[in-house]
Amino acid sequence: MARANKRSRTSVNGVLVVDKPVGPSSMAVVSVVRARAGGARTGHAGTLDPLAEGVLVVALGRATKSIDQLMATDKRYRTEIDLSAFTDTDDLEGQRREVEVAPPSEHDVRGALQRFLGTIMQRPPARSAVKVGGRRAYDLARRGESVELAPRPVDVHGLELVRYEWPALVLDVRCGKGTYIRSLARDLGLALGTGGHCRTLRRTAVGPFTEAEAVKLDDVPAPLEQGDLIPLDEALRRLGN
Protein backbone atom coordinates (compact mmCIF):
# COMPACT_ATOMS: atom_id res chain seq x y z
CA MET A 1 0.00 0.00 0.00
CA ALA A 2 2.87 2.39 0.83
CA ARG A 3 4.36 1.78 -2.59
CA ALA A 4 1.04 2.54 -4.31
CA ASN A 5 0.71 5.81 -2.39
CA LYS A 6 4.22 6.80 -3.38
CA ARG A 7 3.51 6.05 -7.04
CA SER A 8 0.36 8.20 -6.95
CA ARG A 9 2.24 11.15 -5.50
CA THR A 10 5.13 10.93 -7.95
CA SER A 11 2.75 10.81 -10.94
CA VAL A 12 1.61 14.42 -10.51
CA ASN A 13 1.84 16.61 -13.61
CA GLY A 14 1.35 20.35 -13.75
CA VAL A 15 2.46 23.74 -12.51
CA LEU A 16 2.65 25.19 -9.01
CA VAL A 17 3.08 28.95 -8.56
CA VAL A 18 5.16 29.49 -5.42
CA ASP A 19 5.69 32.78 -3.58
CA LYS A 20 9.40 32.40 -2.87
CA PRO A 21 10.56 34.14 0.30
CA VAL A 22 13.79 36.07 0.72
CA GLY A 23 16.59 33.71 1.75
CA PRO A 24 16.43 30.34 0.01
CA SER A 25 17.69 29.80 -3.51
CA SER A 26 15.30 28.85 -6.29
CA MET A 27 16.71 25.31 -6.26
CA ALA A 28 16.07 25.07 -2.52
CA VAL A 29 12.42 25.87 -3.21
CA VAL A 30 12.36 23.20 -5.92
CA SER A 31 13.78 20.70 -3.41
CA VAL A 32 10.98 21.47 -0.93
CA VAL A 33 8.30 21.07 -3.59
CA ARG A 34 9.87 17.84 -4.88
CA ALA A 35 9.93 16.35 -1.40
CA ARG A 36 6.29 17.26 -0.78
CA ALA A 37 5.36 15.75 -4.16
CA GLY A 38 6.90 12.43 -3.16
CA GLY A 39 9.99 12.81 -5.31
CA ALA A 40 8.25 13.78 -8.55
CA ARG A 41 10.45 15.21 -11.26
CA THR A 42 10.56 18.96 -10.56
CA GLY A 43 12.13 22.12 -12.02
CA HIS A 44 11.60 25.87 -12.06
CA ALA A 45 11.00 28.31 -14.91
CA GLY A 46 13.40 31.15 -14.14
CA THR A 47 15.80 31.75 -11.26
CA LEU A 48 15.19 34.23 -8.46
CA ASP A 49 18.24 35.30 -6.44
CA PRO A 50 18.22 34.41 -2.72
CA LEU A 51 17.61 38.09 -1.83
CA ALA A 52 14.67 38.28 -4.26
CA GLU A 53 11.14 37.11 -3.53
CA GLY A 54 7.92 36.48 -5.38
CA VAL A 55 6.61 34.35 -8.22
CA LEU A 56 8.55 31.18 -8.93
CA VAL A 57 6.84 28.89 -11.43
CA VAL A 58 7.56 25.27 -10.55
CA ALA A 59 6.86 22.49 -13.05
CA LEU A 60 6.26 18.90 -12.00
CA GLY A 61 6.17 15.62 -13.88
CA ARG A 62 5.50 15.96 -17.60
CA ALA A 63 5.28 19.74 -17.22
CA THR A 64 9.08 19.85 -16.81
CA LYS A 65 9.29 19.21 -20.57
CA SER A 66 7.60 22.61 -21.07
CA ILE A 67 10.00 24.61 -18.87
CA ASP A 68 11.57 26.34 -21.89
CA GLN A 69 8.12 27.59 -22.94
CA LEU A 70 7.38 28.80 -19.43
CA MET A 71 10.75 30.57 -19.19
CA ALA A 72 10.28 32.36 -22.51
CA THR A 73 7.47 34.49 -21.11
CA ASP A 74 7.69 38.14 -20.04
CA LYS A 75 8.24 38.95 -16.37
CA ARG A 76 7.03 41.68 -14.01
CA TYR A 77 8.94 43.01 -11.02
CA ARG A 78 8.67 45.65 -8.34
CA THR A 79 11.97 46.92 -7.01
CA GLU A 80 13.21 49.58 -4.63
CA ILE A 81 16.45 51.13 -5.86
CA ASP A 82 18.93 53.01 -3.65
CA LEU A 83 20.65 55.79 -5.61
CA SER A 84 23.05 56.75 -2.81
CA ALA A 85 25.59 53.95 -3.43
CA PHE A 86 26.80 51.22 -5.75
CA THR A 87 27.61 47.75 -4.45
CA ASP A 88 29.80 45.03 -5.95
CA THR A 89 26.78 42.72 -6.21
CA ASP A 90 24.28 45.41 -7.33
CA ASP A 91 22.11 44.53 -4.31
CA LEU A 92 22.26 44.65 -0.51
CA GLU A 93 24.57 41.64 -0.26
CA GLY A 94 27.65 43.47 -1.52
CA GLN A 95 30.01 46.10 -0.18
CA ARG A 96 28.69 49.65 -0.52
CA ARG A 97 30.52 52.37 -2.42
CA GLU A 98 28.93 55.64 -1.40
CA VAL A 99 28.41 58.57 -3.77
CA GLU A 100 28.02 62.23 -2.92
CA VAL A 101 25.88 64.05 -5.46
CA ALA A 102 23.06 66.54 -5.60
CA PRO A 103 19.82 64.48 -5.70
CA PRO A 104 18.36 64.38 -9.21
CA SER A 105 14.83 65.70 -9.70
CA GLU A 106 11.91 63.42 -10.47
CA HIS A 107 11.94 64.92 -13.96
CA ASP A 108 15.57 63.80 -14.36
CA VAL A 109 14.74 60.32 -13.10
CA ARG A 110 11.83 59.95 -15.51
CA GLY A 111 14.01 61.15 -18.37
CA ALA A 112 16.75 58.65 -17.53
CA LEU A 113 14.27 55.78 -17.36
CA GLN A 114 13.27 56.41 -20.97
CA ARG A 115 16.78 55.36 -22.04
CA PHE A 116 16.13 51.83 -20.78
CA LEU A 117 12.97 51.08 -22.72
CA GLY A 118 13.01 48.75 -25.70
CA THR A 119 15.86 46.45 -26.65
CA ILE A 120 18.95 47.53 -24.73
CA MET A 121 22.44 46.16 -24.16
CA GLN A 122 22.86 45.07 -20.57
CA ARG A 123 25.88 43.69 -18.69
CA PRO A 124 24.84 41.02 -16.17
CA PRO A 125 25.99 41.42 -12.55
CA ALA A 126 29.38 39.93 -11.73
CA ARG A 127 27.62 37.68 -9.22
CA SER A 128 25.05 36.03 -11.46
CA ALA A 129 24.22 32.58 -12.79
CA VAL A 130 25.74 33.38 -16.21
CA LYS A 131 28.35 30.78 -17.14
CA VAL A 132 31.95 31.79 -17.86
CA GLY A 133 34.05 28.94 -19.25
CA GLY A 134 31.53 26.45 -17.94
CA ARG A 135 31.42 27.91 -14.42
CA ARG A 136 28.85 30.20 -12.82
CA ALA A 137 29.96 33.82 -12.57
CA TYR A 138 28.95 34.00 -8.90
CA ASP A 139 31.20 31.04 -8.07
CA LEU A 140 34.17 32.77 -9.71
CA ALA A 141 33.42 36.09 -7.99
CA ARG A 142 33.14 34.45 -4.56
CA ARG A 143 36.57 32.87 -5.10
CA GLY A 144 37.99 36.32 -5.69
CA GLU A 145 38.47 35.86 -9.44
CA SER A 146 37.87 38.85 -11.69
CA VAL A 147 34.65 38.48 -13.68
CA GLU A 148 33.89 40.74 -16.64
CA LEU A 149 30.71 39.74 -18.41
CA ALA A 150 29.92 40.94 -21.91
CA PRO A 151 26.77 43.04 -22.46
CA ARG A 152 23.90 41.28 -24.18
CA PRO A 153 20.55 42.41 -25.61
CA VAL A 154 17.48 42.32 -23.36
CA ASP A 155 13.96 43.67 -23.80
CA VAL A 156 12.40 46.14 -21.37
CA HIS A 157 8.72 46.71 -22.18
CA GLY A 158 7.69 49.07 -19.40
CA LEU A 159 9.11 51.12 -16.51
CA GLU A 160 6.63 52.76 -14.16
CA LEU A 161 7.96 55.10 -11.50
CA VAL A 162 5.78 54.32 -8.49
CA ARG A 163 7.51 56.55 -5.96
CA TYR A 164 10.64 58.67 -5.70
CA GLU A 165 12.04 60.17 -2.53
CA TRP A 166 15.81 60.55 -2.48
CA PRO A 167 17.69 58.29 -2.30
CA ALA A 168 15.06 55.65 -2.97
CA LEU A 169 12.79 55.03 -5.91
CA VAL A 170 10.29 52.28 -6.51
CA LEU A 171 9.79 50.88 -10.01
CA ASP A 172 7.38 48.46 -11.66
CA VAL A 173 9.24 46.71 -14.47
CA ARG A 174 7.90 44.67 -17.40
CA CYS A 175 10.66 42.87 -19.26
CA GLY A 176 11.66 39.87 -21.30
CA LYS A 177 13.62 36.76 -20.42
CA GLY A 178 17.18 37.30 -19.19
CA THR A 179 16.78 40.88 -17.94
CA TYR A 180 18.62 41.58 -14.69
CA ILE A 181 16.87 44.13 -12.47
CA ARG A 182 20.09 44.52 -10.46
CA SER A 183 21.84 45.60 -13.65
CA LEU A 184 19.02 48.00 -14.42
CA ALA A 185 19.46 49.60 -10.97
CA ARG A 186 23.22 49.95 -11.49
CA ASP A 187 22.90 51.35 -15.00
CA LEU A 188 20.17 53.79 -14.00
CA GLY A 189 22.55 55.15 -11.37
CA LEU A 190 25.29 55.50 -13.96
CA ALA A 191 22.91 57.36 -16.28
CA LEU A 192 21.91 59.74 -13.48
CA GLY A 193 25.44 60.24 -12.19
CA THR A 194 24.43 58.74 -8.83
CA GLY A 195 24.79 55.30 -7.27
CA GLY A 196 22.38 52.48 -7.93
CA HIS A 197 21.60 49.10 -6.40
CA CYS A 198 18.51 47.06 -5.50
CA ARG A 199 17.29 47.29 -1.93
CA THR A 200 14.38 44.94 -2.58
CA LEU A 201 13.17 42.89 -5.52
CA ARG A 202 9.85 41.10 -5.92
CA ARG A 203 8.73 39.26 -9.03
CA THR A 204 5.00 39.79 -9.39
CA ALA A 205 4.33 37.75 -12.53
CA VAL A 206 5.84 35.20 -14.91
CA GLY A 207 3.81 35.43 -18.08
CA PRO A 208 0.18 34.67 -17.12
CA PHE A 209 1.13 33.34 -13.67
CA THR A 210 0.80 36.02 -11.01
CA GLU A 211 1.43 36.62 -7.32
CA ALA A 212 -2.34 36.55 -6.72
CA GLU A 213 -2.34 32.76 -7.18
CA ALA A 214 1.06 32.06 -5.63
CA VAL A 215 1.30 29.75 -2.62
CA LYS A 216 3.61 30.64 0.25
CA LEU A 217 6.43 28.10 0.50
CA ASP A 218 5.41 27.12 4.03
CA ASP A 219 1.86 26.51 2.78
CA VAL A 220 2.77 24.07 0.00
CA PRO A 221 0.72 20.97 0.91
CA ALA A 222 2.40 17.80 2.11
CA PRO A 223 1.71 15.57 0.36
CA LEU A 224 1.37 17.69 -2.78
CA GLU A 225 -1.26 16.12 -5.00
CA GLN A 226 -2.63 16.58 -8.51
CA GLY A 227 -5.52 18.73 -7.32
CA ASP A 228 -3.05 21.26 -5.90
CA LEU A 229 -1.56 21.99 -9.32
CA ILE A 230 -2.52 23.94 -12.42
CA PRO A 231 -2.99 21.12 -14.97
CA LEU A 232 -0.44 21.11 -17.78
CA ASP A 233 -3.03 21.63 -20.53
CA GLU A 234 -4.44 24.67 -18.71
CA ALA A 235 -0.94 26.09 -18.17
CA LEU A 236 -0.18 25.72 -21.86
CA ARG A 237 -3.49 27.33 -22.83
CA ARG A 238 -2.55 30.34 -20.69
CA LEU A 239 0.65 30.58 -22.69
CA GLY A 240 -1.37 30.59 -25.90
CA ASN A 241 -0.26 27.10 -26.93
Side-chain angles (χ1 to χ4, degrees), residues 4-219:
N5 288 339
K6 184 173 182 180
R7 281 199 300 272
S8 67
R9 290 200 298 273
T10 57
S11 65
V12 294
N13 299 286
V15 167
L16 182 68
V17 184
V18 177
D19 191 338
K20 187 190 96 62
V22 172
S25 67
S26 295
M27 286 308 301
V29 172
V30 166
S31 295
V32 170
V33 174
R34 181 187 299 117
R36 296 187 186 184
R41 186 177 182 183
T42 311
H44 67 75
T47 300
L48 278 175
D49 295 330
L51 290 183
E53 62 180 349
V55 173
L56 186 71
V57 175
V58 180
L60 294 98
R62 290 194 303 274
T64 57
K65 297 180 180 180
S66 299
I67 280 180
D68 286 347
Q69 293 170 266
L70 296 166
M71 288 182 65
T73 56
D74 291 343
K75 315 296 189 295
R76 295 197 68 163
Y77 297 89
R78 176 166 287 202
T79 182
E80 182 178 9
I81 297 172
D82 185 344
L83 297 176
S84 67
F86 292 109
T87 74
D88 54 5
T89 58
D90 302 320
D91 61 16
L92 287 177
E93 188 178 21
Q95 184 174 357
R96 287 176 64 93
R97 178 164 58 85
E98 306 288 340
V99 298
E100 293 186 9
V101 296
S105 68
E106 182 174 322
H107 176 78
D108 292 335
V109 171
R110 291 186 181 278
L113 288 172
Q114 294 301 308
R115 307 184 200 178
F116 297 96
L117 290 170
T119 301
I120 62 172
M121 297 300 294
Q122 185 184 76
R123 177 171 56 84
R127 296 194 185 187
S128 64
V130 174
K131 286 190 176 181
V132 180
R135 298 171 65 187
R136 300 291 186 185
Y138 54 68
D139 288 332
L140 297 173
R142 286 168 183 162
R143 292 170 63 92
E145 299 183 34
S146 178
V147 178
E148 193 65 37
L149 299 174
R152 58 186 186 176
V154 298
D155 294 317
V156 179
H157 307 304
L159 293 170
E160 180 187 349
L161 181 61
V162 177
R163 184 174 64 255
Y164 172 54
E165 184 175 349
W166 176 262
L169 63 87
V170 177
L171 283 181
D172 274 346
V173 183
R174 292 186 296 108
C175 59
K177 174 185 175 183
T179 304
Y180 278 93
I181 308 304
R182 285 184 289 150
S183 294
L184 179 64
R186 176 199 66 215
D187 294 344
L188 177 60
L190 291 171
L192 287 167
T194 64
H197 67 276
C198 285
R199 280 184 182 172
T200 64
L201 179 60
R202 179 173 179 79
R203 186 155 66 192
T204 58
V206 173
F209 308 102
T210 71
E211 61 183 346
E213 63 188 320
V215 179
K216 298 289 187 183
L217 182 59
D218 288 345
D219 294 335

Side-chain angles (χ1 to χ4, degrees), residues 208 234-241:
E234 179 184 338
L236 293 176
R237 278 199 303 271
R238 290 200 199 181
L239 297 177
N241 296 330

